[in-house]
Amino acid sequence: MKLYERFWSSLTQLLNIATLSPFGDYNDNGRQQVPIINTEIAVGNPTYPIPEPPKGPSFIPPGHDIGNKFRCEYPSMIGWEPCSTEENRGCWLRNPTTGEEFNINTDYEFLAPQGIQRSYVLEISNTSYNADGLDFTEAKLFNLLGEKPQYPGPWLQACWGDVLQVTVINKMQYNGTSIHWHGIRQNQTMHMDGVNGITQCPIAPNDSFVYKFNITQYGSSWYHSHYSLQYADGAVGPMTLHGPASGNFTEAADIPLLMTDWGHRSAFEALYTNDLGNATVLLNGVGNVTRFLNISADLEIPEQYSLHFKNRTSAAGPKKYLLRLINTSFDTTFVFSIDNHNLTVIGADFVPIHPYSNTSVLIGIGQRYNVIVEANPIHNESQPIYGDGNFWIRNYVVNCGGGDVSRPQGYEQAGILRYNASSTDLPKSLPWNKMSKACSDETYSSLKPILPWTIGNPSNAGQEHDVVSNFVNPDPKLGPAAKFSMEPTTFGSTFLPLRIDFDNPTFLHLNNTGDWPERWIIVPENYTDKDWIYLVIAGDRKNQYRAGAHPIHLHGHDFAILQQTENQNLSYGNLNLKFDNPPRRDVVLLPRNGFIVIAFKTDNPGSWLMHCHIAKHAAWGLAMQVLERQKKADEIWPWETSEAIAVARETCRKWNEWHGDCKKWWKPDIGPDGCERNRTDPVYAFQDDSGI
């Protein structure tokens, strides 16, 4: 197979945003001219106040209501101005003097504007929550400091070029935690990726951890616990990084739209029962158990989520609304649609793409899509409008794992789009009659990135594939929840489901030159920042297992999807790779009974997790670590400061102190002295799954 050489820019290192200055002050001395004032007179005479130093742009994010207090701030970018308009959302900042721009074509992997630091304080605590008319007593929810726990968690916002700092305080009694900022590249900040056992020890109860990282990307995402299955109990929240867009819109929906399955049994228990317990579908935290399951509600059913549009009849045409769609599920792939409205897709994960339109979009777990919806309902013979101005927002559950499930008619009616905000009527609209509900990722050719990549030859030729493996009869010695594995070819045919060590994260061992613990599943890739790694991921060929679909997520990178093939066995004779601007993102759906080929550049040193984002599959061991560049004994990586190491060790010290006292664990009364227990019994074992 011939692999074509990629064409790439001569830039070989990412610039740290903290020192990036693609802008400046303009006079002969390179400094902004400021009027000279006699400061002594000014201090004593209010007639001559000392002027404020000049500042750069400050503006409300494009499309948001003036009441939104959040602003994008670029105080050091003197002479620049915002340039996003309804007619050109691709522009972000422009310097009218030099003609420079930060826009949709800027190579965001190398360049970003210089914003400000955004600081948040989040608490996570145990509570109960009524999402759909049934009480869930095992909820683990976020709140901003001083406010009540909520689901989804608080909306975190930042702007392209900011530094985001989030202090996380663990108020749970029996659980550690760590928080992952999904899709954030974390270039040079591996220790902020928030994966316990890999980048840090868990945050112990009553302890805290400060996450701080650069915002070099823009778009929609979410943050969530990466401590075992905790996020499926509610520890999630939306995250928006404001920046340019590849499609024009008038307004943005008030908040992102998070869709999920929601159970009434803790995900830790569901890991063994394979049942969340009367699971329903939620849109932005609310659902209706009577609609989804045809059972009675024990509590008041929350008001259904409503999205409000205002039509505009003028020369400018109908309003166009930006929606941010995010799937945060435990086990469910969704097809999202709005009756009588097309969706124009402009972004997949954090990657801006050339717009395309469809009646629906399939969203795998962890995937995000930015879409534009025109406030102009489509009316034709097959899609009539009944005049009430209300339309169903639908979230269809897609069968990606095999086995049909019977659901009541109308279960997918997850929310309502209203043109009349005062209306309380249920819609009479009909679903699109030509809409695919198959378990298949968005059309490969539709996901065309705005910023093109050309992919180089693989540096790991001969060792480039990993096989997703199912193990029907797991060995109990490997743990009570060891059912899946990612088996790199370098590991041979041994069944090795990943299991990390909460007490001993990979981050503290990056200078290891010997063998790694077998169950950590670390694949070292010792290449330069110009090299490309190819991974071929497929179903289990040894046991001829007919695999369902898996949303595969890689931390630390966007990856190019060189091939995505459904219902076809992997063989090197049927590879047909695309090297010229293939689709790219950070979560890809491994098709049912098929395979994918992905590629990423080894320009972000550290150990990065790759895993299936079906929560139970990750807990069962369907994951591995890619150690990106072996660290030399005397090498200091940019983020590997003495302070970072000290913080990591202190977090581990506090965790080990808490974890070392088993009387603080769940069910401390088990055993003769309150501590002796069968550590392989899932009821009593502290870490009974992979840990991620």
Side-chain angles (χ1 to χ4, degrees), residues 131-134 264 278-283 285-297 299-304 392 408 410-411 413-414 426:
D132 51 13
L134 293 181
H264 303 87
N278 292 325
T280 57
V281 169
L282 306 185
L283 183 62
V286 293
N288 185 334
V289 70
T290 65
R291 177 177 293 131
F292 194 80
L293 295 174
N294 276 340
I295 63 175
S296 299
L299 303 173
E300 182 180 356
I301 296 173
E303 182 179 352
Q304 191 153 21
W392 284 116
Y411 80 88
Q413 296 167 351
L426 293 179

PDB file of all heavy atoms in Angstrom, residues 131-134 264 278-283 285-297 299-304 392 408 410-411 413-414 426:
ATOM      1  N   ALA A 131     -35.355  13.879  38.090  1.00  0.00           N
ATOM      2  CA  ALA A 131     -35.218  14.299  36.698  1.00  0.00           C
ATOM      3  C   ALA A 131     -36.474  14.033  35.891  1.00  0.00           C
ATOM      4  O   ALA A 131     -36.725  14.717  34.889  1.00  0.00           O
ATOM      5  CB  ALA A 131     -34.034  13.581  36.040  1.00  0.00           C
ATOM      6  N   ASP A 132     -37.272  13.031  36.319  1.00  0.00           N
ATOM      7  CA  ASP A 132     -38.321  12.545  35.427  1.00  0.00           C
ATOM      8  C   ASP A 132     -39.570  12.042  36.148  1.00  0.00           C
ATOM      9  O   ASP A 132     -40.419  11.399  35.560  1.00  0.00           O
ATOM     10  CB  ASP A 132     -37.766  11.414  34.563  1.00  0.00           C
ATOM     11  CG  ASP A 132     -37.082  10.330  35.397  1.00  0.00           C
ATOM     12  OD1 ASP A 132     -37.246  10.330  36.637  1.00  0.00           O
ATOM     13  OD2 ASP A 132     -36.389   9.478  34.815  1.00  0.00           O
ATOM     14  N   GLY A 133     -39.681  12.329  37.438  1.00  0.00           N
ATOM     15  CA  GLY A 133     -40.821  11.843  38.200  1.00  0.00           C
ATOM     16  C   GLY A 133     -40.488  10.704  39.135  1.00  0.00           C
ATOM     17  O   GLY A 133     -41.327  10.279  39.925  1.00  0.00           O
ATOM     18  N   LEU A 134     -39.260  10.184  39.063  1.00  0.00           N
ATOM     19  CA  LEU A 134     -38.762   9.181  40.004  1.00  0.00           C
ATOM     20  C   LEU A 134     -37.530   9.741  40.702  1.00  0.00           C
ATOM     21  O   LEU A 134     -36.675  10.362  40.049  1.00  0.00           O
ATOM     22  CB  LEU A 134     -38.390   7.874  39.286  1.00  0.00           C
ATOM     23  CG  LEU A 134     -39.524   7.060  38.655  1.00  0.00           C
ATOM     24  CD1 LEU A 134     -38.949   5.797  38.014  1.00  0.00           C
ATOM     25  CD2 LEU A 134     -40.590   6.701  39.673  1.00  0.00           C
ATOM     26  N   HIS A 264     -32.131   4.985  37.667  1.00  0.00           N
ATOM     27  CA  HIS A 264     -32.537   5.171  39.055  1.00  0.00           C
ATOM     28  C   HIS A 264     -31.849   4.149  39.942  1.00  0.00           C
ATOM     29  O   HIS A 264     -32.280   3.867  41.056  1.00  0.00           O
ATOM     30  CB  HIS A 264     -34.066   5.094  39.155  1.00  0.00           C
ATOM     31  CG  HIS A 264     -34.735   6.099  38.272  1.00  0.00           C
ATOM     32  ND1 HIS A 264     -35.027   5.839  36.940  1.00  0.00           N
ATOM     33  CD2 HIS A 264     -35.101   7.380  38.488  1.00  0.00           C
ATOM     34  CE1 HIS A 264     -35.571   6.918  36.396  1.00  0.00           C
ATOM     35  NE2 HIS A 264     -35.630   7.858  37.307  1.00  0.00           N
ATOM     36  N   ASN A 278     -35.017   1.331  35.282  1.00  0.00           N
ATOM     37  CA  ASN A 278     -36.038   2.239  34.756  1.00  0.00           C
ATOM     38  C   ASN A 278     -35.412   3.455  34.066  1.00  0.00           C
ATOM     39  O   ASN A 278     -35.767   4.604  34.321  1.00  0.00           O
ATOM     40  CB  ASN A 278     -36.975   2.708  35.874  1.00  0.00           C
ATOM     41  CG  ASN A 278     -37.830   1.583  36.406  1.00  0.00           C
ATOM     42  OD1 ASN A 278     -38.250   0.699  35.662  1.00  0.00           O
ATOM     43  ND2 ASN A 278     -38.075   1.593  37.705  1.00  0.00           N
ATOM     44  N   ALA A 279     -34.461   3.200  33.187  1.00  0.00           N
ATOM     45  CA  ALA A 279     -33.742   4.292  32.527  1.00  0.00           C
ATOM     46  C   ALA A 279     -34.661   5.059  31.580  1.00  0.00           C
ATOM     47  O   ALA A 279     -35.475   4.468  30.865  1.00  0.00           O
ATOM     48  CB  ALA A 279     -32.540   3.744  31.763  1.00  0.00           C
ATOM     49  N   THR A 280     -34.518   6.368  31.591  1.00  0.00           N
ATOM     50  CA  THR A 280     -35.287   7.241  30.718  1.00  0.00           C
ATOM     51  C   THR A 280     -34.331   8.090  29.899  1.00  0.00           C
ATOM     52  O   THR A 280     -33.116   7.946  29.987  1.00  0.00           O
ATOM     53  CB  THR A 280     -36.235   8.141  31.531  1.00  0.00           C
ATOM     54  OG1 THR A 280     -35.466   8.906  32.469  1.00  0.00           O
ATOM     55  CG2 THR A 280     -37.262   7.326  32.279  1.00  0.00           C
ATOM     56  N   VAL A 281     -34.887   8.988  29.087  1.00  0.00           N
ATOM     57  CA  VAL A 281     -34.094   9.911  28.273  1.00  0.00           C
ATOM     58  C   VAL A 281     -34.301  11.328  28.800  1.00  0.00           C
ATOM     59  O   VAL A 281     -35.439  11.750  29.022  1.00  0.00           O
ATOM     60  CB  VAL A 281     -34.500   9.831  26.787  1.00  0.00           C
ATOM     61  CG1 VAL A 281     -33.871  10.965  25.993  1.00  0.00           C
ATOM     62  CG2 VAL A 281     -34.075   8.494  26.200  1.00  0.00           C
ATOM     63  N   LEU A 282     -33.207  12.044  29.015  1.00  0.00           N
ATOM     64  CA  LEU A 282     -33.277  13.422  29.489  1.00  0.00           C
ATOM     65  C   LEU A 282     -32.712  14.367  28.439  1.00  0.00           C
ATOM     66  O   LEU A 282     -31.768  14.031  27.721  1.00  0.00           O
ATOM     67  CB  LEU A 282     -32.470  13.614  30.775  1.00  0.00           C
ATOM     68  CG  LEU A 282     -32.727  12.707  31.972  1.00  0.00           C
ATOM     69  CD1 LEU A 282     -31.895  13.177  33.161  1.00  0.00           C
ATOM     70  CD2 LEU A 282     -34.193  12.636  32.317  1.00  0.00           C
ATOM     71  N   LEU A 283     -33.295  15.553  28.361  1.00  0.00           N
ATOM     72  CA  LEU A 283     -32.727  16.650  27.595  1.00  0.00           C
ATOM     73  C   LEU A 283     -32.537  17.809  28.558  1.00  0.00           C
ATOM     74  O   LEU A 283     -33.506  18.288  29.164  1.00  0.00           O
ATOM     75  CB  LEU A 283     -33.650  17.057  26.442  1.00  0.00           C
ATOM     76  CG  LEU A 283     -33.120  18.164  25.512  1.00  0.00           C
ATOM     77  CD1 LEU A 283     -31.837  17.716  24.812  1.00  0.00           C
ATOM     78  CD2 LEU A 283     -34.176  18.569  24.491  1.00  0.00           C
ATOM     79  N   GLY A 285     -31.387  17.716  31.506  1.00  0.00           N
ATOM     80  CA  GLY A 285     -31.671  17.369  32.885  1.00  0.00           C
ATOM     81  C   GLY A 285     -33.097  17.010  33.208  1.00  0.00           C
ATOM     82  O   GLY A 285     -33.400  16.717  34.372  1.00  0.00           O
ATOM     83  N   VAL A 286     -34.011  17.036  32.232  1.00  0.00           N
ATOM     84  CA  VAL A 286     -35.405  16.708  32.529  1.00  0.00           C
ATOM     85  C   VAL A 286     -35.952  15.707  31.518  1.00  0.00           C
ATOM     86  O   VAL A 286     -35.575  15.701  30.347  1.00  0.00           O
ATOM     87  CB  VAL A 286     -36.309  17.964  32.558  1.00  0.00           C
ATOM     88  CG1 VAL A 286     -35.933  18.854  33.721  1.00  0.00           C
ATOM     89  CG2 VAL A 286     -36.216  18.735  31.261  1.00  0.00           C
ATOM     90  N   GLY A 287     -36.839  14.846  32.004  1.00  0.00           N
ATOM     91  CA  GLY A 287     -37.508  13.865  31.166  1.00  0.00           C
ATOM     92  C   GLY A 287     -38.856  13.537  31.766  1.00  0.00           C
ATOM     93  O   GLY A 287     -39.339  14.205  32.675  1.00  0.00           O
ATOM     94  N   ASN A 288     -39.455  12.460  31.287  1.00  0.00           N
ATOM     95  CA  ASN A 288     -40.786  12.065  31.732  1.00  0.00           C
ATOM     96  C   ASN A 288     -40.854  10.547  31.739  1.00  0.00           C
ATOM     97  O   ASN A 288     -40.907   9.912  30.680  1.00  0.00           O
ATOM     98  CB  ASN A 288     -41.856  12.655  30.806  1.00  0.00           C
ATOM     99  CG  ASN A 288     -43.262  12.395  31.283  1.00  0.00           C
ATOM    100  OD1 ASN A 288     -43.535  11.432  31.997  1.00  0.00           O
ATOM    101  ND2 ASN A 288     -44.188  13.253  30.872  1.00  0.00           N
ATOM    102  N   VAL A 289     -40.829   9.970  32.929  1.00  0.00           N
ATOM    103  CA  VAL A 289     -40.781   8.516  33.035  1.00  0.00           C
ATOM    104  C   VAL A 289     -42.054   7.874  32.497  1.00  0.00           C
ATOM    105  O   VAL A 289     -42.024   6.740  31.991  1.00  0.00           O
ATOM    106  CB  VAL A 289     -40.518   8.094  34.500  1.00  0.00           C
ATOM    107  CG1 VAL A 289     -41.715   8.390  35.385  1.00  0.00           C
ATOM    108  CG2 VAL A 289     -40.130   6.619  34.584  1.00  0.00           C
ATOM    109  N   THR A 290     -43.179   8.579  32.557  1.00  0.00           N
ATOM    110  CA  THR A 290     -44.435   8.002  32.061  1.00  0.00           C
ATOM    111  C   THR A 290     -44.447   7.918  30.546  1.00  0.00           C
ATOM    112  O   THR A 290     -45.106   7.045  29.973  1.00  0.00           O
ATOM    113  CB  THR A 290     -45.642   8.831  32.531  1.00  0.00           C
ATOM    114  OG1 THR A 290     -45.589  10.141  31.949  1.00  0.00           O
ATOM    115  CG2 THR A 290     -45.660   8.968  34.041  1.00  0.00           C
ATOM    116  N   ARG A 291     -43.727   8.805  29.884  1.00  0.00           N
ATOM    117  CA  ARG A 291     -43.671   8.761  28.420  1.00  0.00           C
ATOM    118  C   ARG A 291     -42.687   7.702  27.941  1.00  0.00           C
ATOM    119  O   ARG A 291     -42.906   7.028  26.951  1.00  0.00           O
ATOM    120  CB  ARG A 291     -43.280  10.128  27.858  1.00  0.00           C
ATOM    121  CG  ARG A 291     -43.128  10.122  26.336  1.00  0.00           C
ATOM    122  CD  ARG A 291     -42.807  11.503  25.778  1.00  0.00           C
ATOM    123  NE  ARG A 291     -43.941  12.394  25.961  1.00  0.00           N
ATOM    124  CZ  ARG A 291     -43.869  13.614  26.472  1.00  0.00           C
ATOM    125  NH1 ARG A 291     -42.708  14.080  26.878  1.00  0.00           N
ATOM    126  NH2 ARG A 291     -44.937  14.360  26.599  1.00  0.00           N
ATOM    127  N   PHE A 292     -41.593   7.544  28.660  1.00  0.00           N
ATOM    128  CA  PHE A 292     -40.538   6.644  28.199  1.00  0.00           C
ATOM    129  C   PHE A 292     -40.810   5.190  28.580  1.00  0.00           C
ATOM    130  O   PHE A 292     -40.457   4.281  27.849  1.00  0.00           O
ATOM    131  CB  PHE A 292     -39.191   7.088  28.767  1.00  0.00           C
ATOM    132  CG  PHE A 292     -38.007   6.445  28.101  1.00  0.00           C
ATOM    133  CD1 PHE A 292     -37.543   6.920  26.882  1.00  0.00           C
ATOM    134  CD2 PHE A 292     -37.373   5.354  28.654  1.00  0.00           C
ATOM    135  CE1 PHE A 292     -36.462   6.327  26.255  1.00  0.00           C
ATOM    136  CE2 PHE A 292     -36.293   4.755  28.038  1.00  0.00           C
ATOM    137  CZ  PHE A 292     -35.844   5.248  26.827  1.00  0.00           C
ATOM    138  N   LEU A 293     -41.439   4.971  29.737  1.00  0.00           N
ATOM    139  CA  LEU A 293     -41.604   3.604  30.228  1.00  0.00           C
ATOM    140  C   LEU A 293     -43.050   3.189  30.449  1.00  0.00           C
ATOM    141  O   LEU A 293     -43.320   2.044  30.795  1.00  0.00           O
ATOM    142  CB  LEU A 293     -40.835   3.438  31.551  1.00  0.00           C
ATOM    143  CG  LEU A 293     -39.315   3.577  31.471  1.00  0.00           C
ATOM    144  CD1 LEU A 293     -38.718   3.527  32.863  1.00  0.00           C
ATOM    145  CD2 LEU A 293     -38.712   2.483  30.615  1.00  0.00           C
ATOM    146  N   ASN A 294     -43.972   4.119  30.312  1.00  0.00           N
ATOM    147  CA  ASN A 294     -45.381   3.810  30.588  1.00  0.00           C
ATOM    148  C   ASN A 294     -45.576   3.313  32.017  1.00  0.00           C
ATOM    149  O   ASN A 294     -46.302   2.344  32.271  1.00  0.00           O
ATOM    150  CB  ASN A 294     -45.933   2.774  29.599  1.00  0.00           C
ATOM    151  CG  ASN A 294     -46.394   3.430  28.309  1.00  0.00           C
ATOM    152  OD1 ASN A 294     -46.655   4.626  28.259  1.00  0.00           O
ATOM    153  ND2 ASN A 294     -46.501   2.629  27.253  1.00  0.00           N
ATOM    154  N   ILE A 295     -44.883   3.944  32.963  1.00  0.00           N
ATOM    155  CA  ILE A 295     -45.079   3.619  34.370  1.00  0.00           C
ATOM    156  C   ILE A 295     -45.441   4.901  35.100  1.00  0.00           C
ATOM    157  O   ILE A 295     -45.254   6.009  34.586  1.00  0.00           O
ATOM    158  CB  ILE A 295     -43.826   2.971  35.003  1.00  0.00           C
ATOM    159  CG1 ILE A 295     -42.651   3.956  34.989  1.00  0.00           C
ATOM    160  CG2 ILE A 295     -43.461   1.685  34.293  1.00  0.00           C
ATOM    161  CD1 ILE A 295     -41.420   3.412  35.705  1.00  0.00           C
ATOM    162  N   SER A 296     -45.956   4.749  36.291  1.00  0.00           N
ATOM    163  CA  SER A 296     -46.399   5.905  37.067  1.00  0.00           C
ATOM    164  C   SER A 296     -45.208   6.618  37.694  1.00  0.00           C
ATOM    165  O   SER A 296     -44.189   5.997  38.033  1.00  0.00           O
ATOM    166  CB  SER A 296     -47.369   5.462  38.168  1.00  0.00           C
ATOM    167  OG  SER A 296     -48.512   4.854  37.616  1.00  0.00           O
ATOM    168  N   ALA A 297     -45.373   7.922  37.876  1.00  0.00           N
ATOM    169  CA  ALA A 297     -44.353   8.731  38.540  1.00  0.00           C
ATOM    170  C   ALA A 297     -44.642   8.784  40.032  1.00  0.00           C
ATOM    171  O   ALA A 297     -45.804   8.858  40.446  1.00  0.00           O
ATOM    172  CB  ALA A 297     -44.325  10.131  37.951  1.00  0.00           C
ATOM    173  N   LEU A 299     -43.034  11.156  41.941  1.00  0.00           N
ATOM    174  CA  LEU A 299     -42.873  12.564  42.269  1.00  0.00           C
ATOM    175  C   LEU A 299     -43.443  13.408  41.138  1.00  0.00           C
ATOM    176  O   LEU A 299     -43.838  12.887  40.084  1.00  0.00           O
ATOM    177  CB  LEU A 299     -41.386  12.901  42.477  1.00  0.00           C
ATOM    178  CG  LEU A 299     -40.628  12.093  43.534  1.00  0.00           C
ATOM    179  CD1 LEU A 299     -39.147  12.439  43.493  1.00  0.00           C
ATOM    180  CD2 LEU A 299     -41.202  12.348  44.923  1.00  0.00           C
ATOM    181  N   GLU A 300     -43.469  14.702  41.355  1.00  0.00           N
ATOM    182  CA  GLU A 300     -43.936  15.604  40.305  1.00  0.00           C
ATOM    183  C   GLU A 300     -42.996  15.525  39.107  1.00  0.00           C
ATOM    184  O   GLU A 300     -41.769  15.545  39.259  1.00  0.00           O
ATOM    185  CB  GLU A 300     -43.988  17.035  40.827  1.00  0.00           C
ATOM    186  CG  GLU A 300     -44.500  18.043  39.811  1.00  0.00           C
ATOM    187  CD  GLU A 300     -44.544  19.457  40.359  1.00  0.00           C
ATOM    188  OE1 GLU A 300     -44.239  19.637  41.556  1.00  0.00           O
ATOM    189  OE2 GLU A 300     -44.888  20.375  39.595  1.00  0.00           O
ATOM    190  N   ILE A 301     -43.563  15.432  37.913  1.00  0.00           N
ATOM    191  CA  ILE A 301     -42.748  15.367  36.696  1.00  0.00           C
ATOM    192  C   ILE A 301     -42.284  16.782  36.349  1.00  0.00           C
ATOM    193  O   ILE A 301     -43.106  17.694  36.237  1.00  0.00           O
ATOM    194  CB  ILE A 301     -43.548  14.767  35.531  1.00  0.00           C
ATOM    195  CG1 ILE A 301     -43.924  13.311  35.858  1.00  0.00           C
ATOM    196  CG2 ILE A 301     -42.756  14.834  34.230  1.00  0.00           C
ATOM    197  CD1 ILE A 301     -44.854  12.683  34.857  1.00  0.00           C
ATOM    198  N   PRO A 302     -40.977  17.000  36.192  1.00  0.00           N
ATOM    199  CA  PRO A 302     -40.489  18.344  35.892  1.00  0.00           C
ATOM    200  C   PRO A 302     -41.040  18.857  34.562  1.00  0.00           C
ATOM    201  O   PRO A 302     -41.394  18.075  33.668  1.00  0.00           O
ATOM    202  CB  PRO A 302     -38.966  18.162  35.818  1.00  0.00           C
ATOM    203  CG  PRO A 302     -38.689  16.878  36.521  1.00  0.00           C
ATOM    204  CD  PRO A 302     -39.894  16.020  36.312  1.00  0.00           C
ATOM    205  N   GLU A 303     -41.108  20.164  34.447  1.00  0.00           N
ATOM    206  CA  GLU A 303     -41.553  20.777  33.199  1.00  0.00           C
ATOM    207  C   GLU A 303     -40.593  20.420  32.073  1.00  0.00           C
ATOM    208  O   GLU A 303     -39.373  20.505  32.231  1.00  0.00           O
ATOM    209  CB  GLU A 303     -41.639  22.292  33.358  1.00  0.00           C
ATOM    210  CG  GLU A 303     -42.150  23.015  32.125  1.00  0.00           C
ATOM    211  CD  GLU A 303     -42.244  24.513  32.325  1.00  0.00           C
ATOM    212  OE1 GLU A 303     -42.060  24.971  33.474  1.00  0.00           O
ATOM    213  OE2 GLU A 303     -42.488  25.234  31.334  1.00  0.00           O
ATOM    214  N   GLN A 304     -41.139  20.025  30.950  1.00  0.00           N
ATOM    215  CA  GLN A 304     -40.325  19.584  29.823  1.00  0.00           C
ATOM    216  C   GLN A 304     -39.462  20.724  29.307  1.00  0.00           C
ATOM    217  O   GLN A 304     -39.864  21.889  29.298  1.00  0.00           O
ATOM    218  CB  GLN A 304     -41.224  19.068  28.705  1.00  0.00           C
ATOM    219  CG  GLN A 304     -40.478  18.341  27.597  1.00  0.00           C
ATOM    220  CD  GLN A 304     -41.368  17.325  26.915  1.00  0.00           C
ATOM    221  OE1 GLN A 304     -42.577  17.395  26.976  1.00  0.00           O
ATOM    222  NE2 GLN A 304     -40.759  16.343  26.260  1.00  0.00           N
ATOM    223  N   TRP A 392     -41.890  19.074  18.164  1.00  0.00           N
ATOM    224  CA  TRP A 392     -41.153  18.150  19.022  1.00  0.00           C
ATOM    225  C   TRP A 392     -39.662  18.166  18.689  1.00  0.00           C
ATOM    226  O   TRP A 392     -39.260  18.138  17.520  1.00  0.00           O
ATOM    227  CB  TRP A 392     -41.672  16.730  18.873  1.00  0.00           C
ATOM    228  CG  TRP A 392     -42.975  16.446  19.562  1.00  0.00           C
ATOM    229  CD1 TRP A 392     -44.161  16.092  18.973  1.00  0.00           C
ATOM    230  CD2 TRP A 392     -43.221  16.487  20.967  1.00  0.00           C
ATOM    231  NE1 TRP A 392     -45.132  15.907  19.921  1.00  0.00           N
ATOM    232  CE2 TRP A 392     -44.586  16.148  21.166  1.00  0.00           C
ATOM    233  CE3 TRP A 392     -42.435  16.792  22.082  1.00  0.00           C
ATOM    234  CZ2 TRP A 392     -45.169  16.093  22.423  1.00  0.00           C
ATOM    235  CZ3 TRP A 392     -43.019  16.732  23.340  1.00  0.00           C
ATOM    236  CH2 TRP A 392     -44.366  16.381  23.504  1.00  0.00           C
ATOM    237  N   PRO A 408     -42.358   2.635  24.258  1.00  0.00           N
ATOM    238  CA  PRO A 408     -43.681   3.198  23.950  1.00  0.00           C
ATOM    239  C   PRO A 408     -43.604   4.194  22.800  1.00  0.00           C
ATOM    240  O   PRO A 408     -42.581   4.861  22.587  1.00  0.00           O
ATOM    241  CB  PRO A 408     -44.079   3.899  25.257  1.00  0.00           C
ATOM    242  CG  PRO A 408     -43.183   3.339  26.307  1.00  0.00           C
ATOM    243  CD  PRO A 408     -41.921   2.946  25.617  1.00  0.00           C
ATOM    244  N   GLY A 410     -43.752   7.481  20.965  1.00  0.00           N
ATOM    245  CA  GLY A 410     -43.538   8.845  21.431  1.00  0.00           C
ATOM    246  C   GLY A 410     -42.490   8.984  22.514  1.00  0.00           C
ATOM    247  O   GLY A 410     -42.287  10.081  23.040  1.00  0.00           O
ATOM    248  N   TYR A 411     -41.779   7.875  22.855  1.00  0.00           N
ATOM    249  CA  TYR A 411     -40.762   7.949  23.909  1.00  0.00           C
ATOM    250  C   TYR A 411     -39.689   8.987  23.606  1.00  0.00           C
ATOM    251  O   TYR A 411     -39.066   9.553  24.503  1.00  0.00           O
ATOM    252  CB  TYR A 411     -40.104   6.579  24.101  1.00  0.00           C
ATOM    253  CG  TYR A 411     -39.034   6.274  23.076  1.00  0.00           C
ATOM    254  CD1 TYR A 411     -37.713   6.649  23.276  1.00  0.00           C
ATOM    255  CD2 TYR A 411     -39.350   5.636  21.870  1.00  0.00           C
ATOM    256  CE1 TYR A 411     -36.738   6.391  22.321  1.00  0.00           C
ATOM    257  CE2 TYR A 411     -38.395   5.379  20.923  1.00  0.00           C
ATOM    258  CZ  TYR A 411     -37.079   5.765  21.144  1.00  0.00           C
ATOM    259  OH  TYR A 411     -36.121   5.522  20.193  1.00  0.00           O
ATOM    260  N   GLN A 413     -39.842  11.914  22.387  1.00  0.00           N
ATOM    261  CA  GLN A 413     -40.246  13.323  22.469  1.00  0.00           C
ATOM    262  C   GLN A 413     -39.580  13.960  23.685  1.00  0.00           C
ATOM    263  O   GLN A 413     -40.145  14.054  24.771  1.00  0.00           O
ATOM    264  CB  GLN A 413     -41.765  13.424  22.538  1.00  0.00           C
ATOM    265  CG  GLN A 413     -42.440  12.900  21.276  1.00  0.00           C
ATOM    266  CD  GLN A 413     -43.942  12.704  21.446  1.00  0.00           C
ATOM    267  OE1 GLN A 413     -44.465  12.802  22.550  1.00  0.00           O
ATOM    268  NE2 GLN A 413     -44.635  12.416  20.354  1.00  0.00           N
ATOM    269  N   ALA A 414     -38.347  14.425  23.489  1.00  0.00           N
ATOM    270  CA  ALA A 414     -37.498  14.833  24.611  1.00  0.00           C
ATOM    271  C   ALA A 414     -37.641  16.301  24.972  1.00  0.00           C
ATOM    272  O   ALA A 414     -37.304  16.702  26.092  1.00  0.00           O
ATOM    273  CB  ALA A 414     -36.031  14.529  24.286  1.00  0.00           C
ATOM    274  N   LEU A 426     -48.879  20.889  24.051  1.00  0.00           N
ATOM    275  CA  LEU A 426     -47.966  19.905  23.482  1.00  0.00           C
ATOM    276  C   LEU A 426     -48.034  19.978  21.963  1.00  0.00           C
ATOM    277  O   LEU A 426     -49.086  20.251  21.383  1.00  0.00           O
ATOM    278  CB  LEU A 426     -48.337  18.501  23.941  1.00  0.00           C
ATOM    279  CG  LEU A 426     -48.160  18.206  25.434  1.00  0.00           C
ATOM    280  CD1 LEU A 426     -48.586  16.776  25.738  1.00  0.00           C
ATOM    281  CD2 LEU A 426     -46.729  18.450  25.879  1.00  0.00           C
TER     282      LEU A 426
END
